[in-house]
Amino acid sequence: QVQLVESGGGLVQPGRSLNVSCTASGIIFRLYAMGWYRQAPGKQRELVARITPSGTTNYLDSVKGRFTIARDNAKNTVYLQMSSLKSEDTAVYYCNADRLIGTRREYWGQGPQVTVSS
């Protein structure tokens, strides 16, 4: 019933840009904070960026100034715009929906791979 469908990802050279998106269905989108997490091999999953229903954002320190998160409530979609990519950004990027209003709910996307390499 609930789906978080991600698009984007792939192989990109250092210094270039890449965008990923996540479209949700089966949820009341306006009730959820939306976030992007990533997990690299041998490392713990970490929060990259998050945006609340009202538009408040926060970012992992290492991506500030390079990544931008945005949401379009009319399209039930959250975006992550990544620029000045570095090899250390290589990871699987997971879309997350975290319900803040009413009963707590949390859902995850499948996570496309982003590889930054020459």
Side-chain angles (χ1 to χ4, degrees), residues 18-31:
L18 189 68
N19 297 335
V20 294
S21 65
C22 172
T23 299
S25 61
I27 65 171
I28 304 175
F29 192 75
R30 64 177 177 83
L31 303 182

Side-chain angles (χ1 to χ4, degrees), residues 28-33 50 52-54 98-105:
I28 304 175
F29 192 75
R30 64 177 177 83
L31 303 182
Y32 288 77
R50 186 174 184 266
T52 70
S54 63
D98 185 11
R99 183 170 175 170
L100 302 180
I101 301 172
T103 304
R104 188 72 177 271
R105 297 281 190 272

Side-chain angles (χ1 to χ4, degrees), residues 7-72:
S7 63
L11 176 64
V12 63
Q13 296 179 353
R16 302 295 293 272
S17 299
L18 189 68
N19 297 335
V20 294
S21 65
C22 172
T23 299
S25 61
I27 65 171
I28 304 175
F29 192 75
R30 64 177 177 83
L31 303 182
Y32 288 77
M34 301 298 298
W36 291 95
Y37 290 72
R38 70 185 182 188
Q39 187 168 27
K43 297 184 178 180
Q44 295 182 335
R45 186 174 298 187
E46 61 184 354
L47 176 65
V48 178
R50 186 174 184 266
I51 184 167
T52 70
S54 63
T56 301
T57 60
N58 59 355
Y59 295 90
L60 181 68
D61 284 345
S62 63
V63 309
K64 288 181 179 178
R66 300 190 297 118
F67 290 13
T68 300
I69 188 170
R71 67 190 293 160
D72 186 338

